[in-house]
Amino acid sequence: MMEKCTKPCFHQRTLSASSSQTAQFTCYIAAAVIAILGVPPVLVGAVAASTDWNRTLYGSPPPYVRGEQSLVLPLTLQYLTPSYISVIGIGAVAAAVMSSTDSALLSAASVFSSNIYKNILRQQASDYEMQWVIRVTVAVVGVVGTSITFFTNSTLVLWILGADVSYTLIFPHLVSVLFSKVTNGYGALMGYIIGLTVRISLGERAVGLPVVLCLPGCILVDGVFIQKSPVRTISMLCTIIAIQVFSLLALAMFNHGLLPEKWDIFKVKNTITVSPTDAVTQNENDGARSDEENLTDYYCTAQMRTLW
């Protein structure tokens, strides 16, 4: 939960840093602070594990026997602390959860409305129309997010699921855009489709997804297939390979006339994506050449005036 609460704020701080050195220093400090902030949850879990719950109003058996280990924090606050501490603690947890929720809703709405709806679907959309798009997106994301919580009672499972999606789908696209010049919209789209299909086919016990595609080492236990291979890393590699293969395929087909140019909705014909690093270097070189040209023109003009 702490990770979900701090992630948007952390990215905001690093992206708004005055220099790359400041952003790096912020990351180093954050790594140390996160390690320190991880001590209280460990202590709460140790206290709950060593507590004789039969001597409390909760009674026996203990939470981990009842399958309520994900509720250790609220149970500890309710049965092992005074009432005012319990109210303050649960209120702090609720505030953190609401902070994460609104940041996630707003970030999802802004990404869809600005990056997808405005730039791809409807570029001439007015500000009033964008306001309604944001409102509808917030409502849809809220309903979908609430529906996902019906499948599990553990927030840790949802956090792991979010990290899984980030690693298998978002991370490959980020790497491809930064380090591959041939990456384009067609490869990115197929990467999402293939990566998501592979990840779902490999199954996920946490959310009840059955195993459809068995990898080497997959075993059958009590009628359920259990994967022993690194399914997340394999899905991530499949996504990267799909992005590169279909990006190259799209470039070849449009540039060699195998597909009509009117089908090129992402405008990749005769273009190669430039990574951000190359773009910065190119802008600096262009700026240097412009300065040299201006300086040369100045001296030439001065010499002409002198001769005149």
Side-chain angles (χ1 to χ4, degrees):
M1 181 183 63
M2 178 180 61
E3 174 69 16
K4 290 175 70 178
C5 294
T6 57
K7 186 182 293 184
C9 297
F10 176 74
H11 288 311
Q12 291 174 5
R13 299 297 182 273
T14 54
L15 292 175
S16 62
S18 58
S19 63
S20 58
Q21 290 78 12
T22 303
Q24 293 175 358
F25 181 74
T26 303
C27 295
Y28 297 145
I29 296 298
V33 172
I34 287 295
I36 296 174
L37 294 179
V39 175
V42 174
L43 294 178
V44 171
V47 169
S50 60
T51 296
D52 184 5
W53 291 93
N54 193 33
R55 301 176 60 182
T56 65
L57 296 177
Y58 184 78
S60 294
Y64 63 88
V65 176
R66 301 186 187 187
E68 297 180 349
Q69 58 269 23
S70 61
L71 304 176
V72 162
L73 177 59
L75 291 176
T76 303
L77 292 174
Q78 182 176 356
Y79 294 103
L80 302 181
T81 60
S83 299
Y84 65 92
I85 296 295
S86 176
V87 172
I88 295 175
I90 294 178
V93 173
V97 171
M98 288 187 291
S99 174
S100 299
T101 302
D102 65 57
S103 62
L105 288 176
L106 292 176
S107 61
S110 62
V111 167
F112 174 79
S113 59
S114 300
N115 296 352
I116 299 178
Y117 189 85
K118 179 69 174 179
N119 292 339
I120 299 177
L121 300 179
R122 186 173 170 82
Q123 298 181 358
Q124 67 274 17
S126 62
D127 293 339
Y128 181 75
E129 182 179 351
M130 293 302 299
Q131 291 178 0
W132 276 103
V133 171
I134 293 175
R135 293 171 182 172
V136 173
T137 304
V138 169
V140 172
V141 172
V143 171
V144 173
T146 304
S147 302
I148 293 176
T149 60
F150 294 153
F151 294 97
T152 178
N153 294 325
S154 175
T155 56
L156 181 61
V157 172
L158 297 178
W159 182 86
I160 295 175
L161 183 62
D164 192 335
V165 173
S166 299
Y167 179 62
T168 58
L169 294 180
I170 299 177
F171 173 72
H173 287 79
L174 177 63
V175 172
S176 299
V177 169
L178 291 178
F179 300 102
S180 177
K181 296 181 180 181
V182 300
T183 303
N184 53 53
Y186 303 102
L189 180 60
M190 294 303 301
Y192 274 117
I193 295 175
I194 294 178
L196 183 61
T197 303
V198 171
R199 185 64 191 93
I200 293 176
S201 301
L202 295 178
E204 179 58 48
R205 291 170 51 187
V207 294
L209 284 177
V211 176
V212 178
L213 179 62
C214 292
L215 298 177
C218 182
I219 60 176
L220 183 64
V221 178
D222 297 332
V224 178
F225 287 101
I226 298 178
Q227 300 277 15
K228 295 297 183 180
S229 301
V231 294
R232 294 176 178 85
T233 300
I234 293 175
S235 301
M236 181 269 295
L237 294 176
C238 290
T239 305
I240 289 183
I241 294 174
I243 293 172
Q244 300 305 311
V245 170
F246 283 96
S247 295
L248 288 172
L249 184 62
L251 284 174
M253 296 182 72
F254 283 112
N255 288 332
H256 290 83
L258 300 178
L259 290 177
E261 187 176 354
K262 64 180 180 180
W263 291 4
D264 187 10
I265 59 176
F266 291 114
K267 308 301 180 182
V268 299
K269 184 176 181 180
N270 297 325
T271 60
I272 296 180
T273 304
V274 181
S275 63
T277 304
D278 296 338
V280 172
T281 305
Q282 183 177 357
N283 290 335
E284 292 178 352
N285 294 335
D286 293 341
R289 285 195 297 268
S290 299
D291 293 340
E292 292 177 357
E293 292 175 357
N294 293 335
L295 188 61
T296 302
D297 293 340
Y298 173 78
Y299 282 119
C300 290
T301 303
Q303 291 178 358
M304 291 294 294
R305 289 177 178 177
T306 302
L307 293 175
W308 178 260

